[in-house]
mmCIF file of all heavy atoms in Angstrom:
data_model
loop_
_atom_site.group_PDB
_atom_site.id
_atom_site.type_symbol
_atom_site.label_atom_id
_atom_site.label_comp_id
_atom_site.label_asym_id
_atom_site.label_seq_id
_atom_site.Cartn_x
_atom_site.Cartn_y
_atom_site.Cartn_z
ATOM 1 N N THR A 1544 17.676 -3.728 2.412
ATOM 2 C CA THR A 1544 17.832 -2.562 1.545
ATOM 3 C C THR A 1544 17.533 -2.933 0.097
ATOM 4 O O THR A 1544 17.730 -4.076 -0.333
ATOM 5 C CB THR A 1544 19.262 -2.003 1.590
ATOM 6 O OG1 THR A 1544 20.197 -3.075 1.376
ATOM 7 C CG2 THR A 1544 19.548 -1.364 2.921
ATOM 8 N N THR A 1545 17.063 -1.943 -0.640
ATOM 9 C CA THR A 1545 16.798 -2.092 -2.063
ATOM 10 C C THR A 1545 17.033 -0.731 -2.718
ATOM 11 O O THR A 1545 16.824 0.296 -2.071
ATOM 12 C CB THR A 1545 15.360 -2.614 -2.281
ATOM 13 O OG1 THR A 1545 15.302 -3.296 -3.518
ATOM 14 C CG2 THR A 1545 14.334 -1.519 -2.218
ATOM 15 N N PRO A 1546 17.526 -0.706 -3.959
ATOM 16 C CA PRO A 1546 17.975 0.559 -4.542
ATOM 17 C C PRO A 1546 16.841 1.560 -4.813
ATOM 18 O O PRO A 1546 17.033 2.743 -4.693
ATOM 19 C CB PRO A 1546 18.617 0.143 -5.869
ATOM 20 C CG PRO A 1546 18.795 -1.316 -5.809
ATOM 21 C CD PRO A 1546 17.766 -1.825 -4.847
ATOM 22 N N ASP A 1547 15.666 1.085 -5.159
ATOM 23 C CA ASP A 1547 14.612 1.969 -5.645
ATOM 24 C C ASP A 1547 13.600 2.286 -4.546
ATOM 25 O O ASP A 1547 12.930 1.398 -4.023
ATOM 26 C CB ASP A 1547 13.915 1.293 -6.818
ATOM 27 C CG ASP A 1547 12.965 2.223 -7.519
ATOM 28 O OD1 ASP A 1547 12.210 2.942 -6.818
ATOM 29 O OD2 ASP A 1547 12.968 2.257 -8.747
ATOM 30 N N PRO A 1548 13.478 3.569 -4.194
ATOM 31 C CA PRO A 1548 12.557 3.968 -3.125
ATOM 32 C C PRO A 1548 11.103 3.608 -3.450
ATOM 33 O O PRO A 1548 10.352 3.234 -2.545
ATOM 34 C CB PRO A 1548 12.691 5.491 -3.099
ATOM 35 C CG PRO A 1548 13.949 5.807 -3.821
ATOM 36 C CD PRO A 1548 14.194 4.697 -4.781
ATOM 37 N N GLU A 1549 10.745 3.690 -4.716
ATOM 38 C CA GLU A 1549 9.360 3.376 -5.077
ATOM 39 C C GLU A 1549 9.075 1.898 -4.894
ATOM 40 O O GLU A 1549 8.009 1.516 -4.414
ATOM 41 C CB GLU A 1549 9.095 3.782 -6.518
ATOM 42 C CG GLU A 1549 9.117 5.288 -6.734
ATOM 43 C CD GLU A 1549 8.500 5.656 -8.070
ATOM 44 O OE1 GLU A 1549 9.136 5.344 -9.076
ATOM 45 O OE2 GLU A 1549 7.407 6.249 -8.083
ATOM 46 N N GLU A 1550 10.034 1.069 -5.282
ATOM 47 C CA GLU A 1550 9.844 -0.358 -5.088
ATOM 48 C C GLU A 1550 9.846 -0.703 -3.597
ATOM 49 O O GLU A 1550 9.118 -1.584 -3.149
ATOM 50 C CB GLU A 1550 10.907 -1.156 -5.832
ATOM 51 C CG GLU A 1550 10.774 -1.045 -7.327
ATOM 52 C CD GLU A 1550 11.679 -2.012 -8.093
ATOM 53 O OE1 GLU A 1550 11.968 -3.089 -7.562
ATOM 54 O OE2 GLU A 1550 12.069 -1.665 -9.214
ATOM 55 N N ALA A 1551 10.654 0.019 -2.860
ATOM 56 C CA ALA A 1551 10.706 -0.194 -1.413
ATOM 57 C C ALA A 1551 9.344 0.081 -0.780
ATOM 58 O O ALA A 1551 8.863 -0.672 0.074
ATOM 59 C CB ALA A 1551 11.765 0.719 -0.789
ATOM 60 N N ALA A 1552 8.695 1.140 -1.249
ATOM 61 C CA ALA A 1552 7.385 1.494 -0.722
ATOM 62 C C ALA A 1552 6.369 0.399 -0.985
ATOM 63 O O ALA A 1552 5.543 0.055 -0.129
ATOM 64 C CB ALA A 1552 6.906 2.814 -1.338
ATOM 65 N N VAL A 1553 6.436 -0.183 -2.184
ATOM 66 C CA VAL A 1553 5.522 -1.261 -2.526
ATOM 67 C C VAL A 1553 5.753 -2.472 -1.620
ATOM 68 O O VAL A 1553 4.807 -3.063 -1.071
ATOM 69 C CB VAL A 1553 5.688 -1.675 -4.009
ATOM 70 C CG1 VAL A 1553 4.930 -2.967 -4.301
ATOM 71 C CG2 VAL A 1553 5.208 -0.562 -4.928
ATOM 72 N N LYS A 1554 7.004 -2.824 -1.425
ATOM 73 C CA LYS A 1554 7.338 -3.975 -0.577
ATOM 74 C C LYS A 1554 6.788 -3.771 0.835
ATOM 75 O O LYS A 1554 6.199 -4.663 1.437
ATOM 76 C CB LYS A 1554 8.868 -4.159 -0.503
ATOM 77 C CG LYS A 1554 9.502 -4.665 -1.785
ATOM 78 C CD LYS A 1554 11.027 -4.720 -1.640
ATOM 79 C CE LYS A 1554 11.770 -4.576 -2.953
ATOM 80 N NZ LYS A 1554 11.609 -5.677 -3.905
ATOM 81 N N LYS A 1555 7.019 -2.572 1.319
ATOM 82 C CA LYS A 1555 6.589 -2.263 2.686
ATOM 83 C C LYS A 1555 5.080 -2.389 2.835
ATOM 84 O O LYS A 1555 4.571 -3.005 3.772
ATOM 85 C CB LYS A 1555 7.031 -0.828 3.027
ATOM 86 C CG LYS A 1555 7.119 -0.557 4.500
ATOM 87 C CD LYS A 1555 7.908 0.725 4.723
ATOM 88 C CE LYS A 1555 7.852 1.145 6.165
ATOM 89 N NZ LYS A 1555 8.642 2.380 6.376
ATOM 90 N N LYS A 1556 4.373 -1.807 1.866
ATOM 91 C CA LYS A 1556 2.915 -1.843 1.963
ATOM 92 C C LYS A 1556 2.392 -3.272 1.822
ATOM 93 O O LYS A 1556 1.471 -3.681 2.530
ATOM 94 C CB LYS A 1556 2.301 -0.962 0.876
ATOM 95 C CG LYS A 1556 0.780 -0.955 0.898
ATOM 96 C CD LYS A 1556 0.216 0.439 0.795
ATOM 97 C CE LYS A 1556 -1.278 0.442 1.128
ATOM 98 N NZ LYS A 1556 -1.888 1.755 0.961
ATOM 99 N N ALA A 1557 2.980 -4.029 0.923
ATOM 100 C CA ALA A 1557 2.555 -5.413 0.739
ATOM 101 C C ALA A 1557 2.714 -6.181 2.055
ATOM 102 O O ALA A 1557 1.814 -6.897 2.497
ATOM 103 C CB ALA A 1557 3.340 -6.075 -0.375
ATOM 104 N N ALA A 1558 3.856 -6.000 2.693
ATOM 105 C CA ALA A 1558 4.132 -6.701 3.944
ATOM 106 C C ALA A 1558 3.126 -6.308 5.024
ATOM 107 O O ALA A 1558 2.692 -7.135 5.824
ATOM 108 C CB ALA A 1558 5.548 -6.414 4.408
ATOM 109 N N SER A 1559 2.736 -5.031 5.016
ATOM 110 C CA SER A 1559 1.821 -4.554 6.063
ATOM 111 C C SER A 1559 0.414 -5.133 5.895
ATOM 112 O O SER A 1559 -0.392 -5.080 6.796
ATOM 113 C CB SER A 1559 1.756 -3.028 6.039
ATOM 114 O OG SER A 1559 0.985 -2.576 4.950
ATOM 115 N N HIS A 1560 0.147 -5.688 4.727
ATOM 116 C CA HIS A 1560 -1.165 -6.295 4.508
ATOM 117 C C HIS A 1560 -1.107 -7.808 4.554
ATOM 118 O O HIS A 1560 -2.033 -8.477 4.094
ATOM 119 C CB HIS A 1560 -1.731 -5.838 3.170
ATOM 120 C CG HIS A 1560 -2.283 -4.452 3.192
ATOM 121 N ND1 HIS A 1560 -3.613 -4.151 3.000
ATOM 122 C CD2 HIS A 1560 -1.689 -3.271 3.431
ATOM 123 C CE1 HIS A 1560 -3.800 -2.854 3.101
ATOM 124 N NE2 HIS A 1560 -2.645 -2.291 3.345
ATOM 125 N N ALA A 1561 -0.019 -8.343 5.059
ATOM 126 C CA ALA A 1561 0.130 -9.788 5.044
ATOM 127 C C ALA A 1561 0.196 -10.336 6.463
ATOM 128 O O ALA A 1561 0.702 -9.687 7.378
ATOM 129 C CB ALA A 1561 1.383 -10.197 4.288
ATOM 130 N N ARG A 1562 -0.324 -11.543 6.611
ATOM 131 C CA ARG A 1562 -0.281 -12.194 7.908
ATOM 132 C C ARG A 1562 1.142 -12.620 8.226
ATOM 133 O O ARG A 1562 1.585 -12.585 9.364
ATOM 134 C CB ARG A 1562 -1.217 -13.424 7.866
ATOM 135 C CG ARG A 1562 -1.887 -13.782 9.156
ATOM 136 C CD ARG A 1562 -3.225 -14.453 8.918
ATOM 137 N NE ARG A 1562 -3.144 -15.518 7.913
ATOM 138 C CZ ARG A 1562 -2.658 -16.743 8.155
ATOM 139 N NH1 ARG A 1562 -2.214 -17.045 9.361
ATOM 140 N NH2 ARG A 1562 -2.644 -17.647 7.210
ATOM 141 N N LYS A 1563 1.878 -13.012 7.175
ATOM 142 C CA LYS A 1563 3.258 -13.473 7.358
ATOM 143 C C LYS A 1563 4.096 -13.073 6.145
ATOM 144 O O LYS A 1563 3.639 -13.218 5.015
ATOM 145 C CB LYS A 1563 3.265 -15.005 7.516
ATOM 146 C CG LYS A 1563 4.626 -15.594 7.785
ATOM 147 C CD LYS A 1563 5.111 -15.245 9.185
ATOM 148 C CE LYS A 1563 6.600 -15.564 9.330
ATOM 149 N NZ LYS A 1563 7.128 -15.048 10.613
ATOM 150 N N THR A 1564 5.282 -12.570 6.409
ATOM 151 C CA THR A 1564 6.136 -12.112 5.307
ATOM 152 C C THR A 1564 7.478 -12.843 5.322
ATOM 153 O O THR A 1564 8.096 -12.991 6.365
ATOM 154 C CB THR A 1564 6.394 -10.608 5.404
ATOM 155 O OG1 THR A 1564 5.150 -9.913 5.289
ATOM 156 C CG2 THR A 1564 7.338 -10.142 4.296
ATOM 157 N N TYR A 1565 7.910 -13.278 4.148
ATOM 158 C CA TYR A 1565 9.227 -13.897 4.004
ATOM 159 C C TYR A 1565 10.076 -13.087 3.039
ATOM 160 O O TYR A 1565 9.597 -12.650 1.991
ATOM 161 C CB TYR A 1565 9.096 -15.325 3.448
ATOM 162 C CG TYR A 1565 8.447 -16.276 4.416
ATOM 163 C CD1 TYR A 1565 7.074 -16.431 4.433
ATOM 164 C CD2 TYR A 1565 9.209 -17.020 5.321
ATOM 165 C CE1 TYR A 1565 6.451 -17.297 5.326
ATOM 166 C CE2 TYR A 1565 8.611 -17.888 6.205
ATOM 167 C CZ TYR A 1565 7.239 -18.024 6.215
ATOM 168 O OH TYR A 1565 6.637 -18.877 7.090
ATOM 169 N N ILE A 1566 11.346 -12.912 3.439
ATOM 170 C CA ILE A 1566 12.298 -12.221 2.569
ATOM 171 C C ILE A 1566 13.179 -13.270 1.894
ATOM 172 O O ILE A 1566 13.751 -14.127 2.574
ATOM 173 C CB ILE A 1566 13.203 -11.285 3.391
ATOM 174 C CG1 ILE A 1566 12.395 -10.446 4.331
ATOM 175 C CG2 ILE A 1566 14.101 -10.449 2.468
ATOM 176 C CD1 ILE A 1566 11.536 -9.421 3.660
ATOM 177 N N LEU A 1567 13.298 -13.193 0.590
ATOM 178 C CA LEU A 1567 14.115 -14.159 -0.123
ATOM 179 C C LEU A 1567 15.423 -13.517 -0.553
ATOM 180 O O LEU A 1567 15.436 -12.435 -1.117
ATOM 181 C CB LEU A 1567 13.390 -14.668 -1.368
ATOM 182 C CG LEU A 1567 11.944 -15.128 -1.167
ATOM 183 C CD1 LEU A 1567 11.383 -15.701 -2.460
ATOM 184 C CD2 LEU A 1567 11.881 -16.171 -0.071
#
Side-chain angles (χ1 to χ4, degrees):
Chain A
T1544 50
T1545 205
D1547 189 315
E1549 292 195 290
E1550 292 190 30
V1553 169
K1554 289 176 207 293
K1555 202 165 171 179
K1556 179 133 192 184
S1559 75
H1560 282 245
R1562 212 151 47 79
K1563 183 71 193 172
T1564 298
Y1565 292 88
I1566 312 291
L1567 311 184

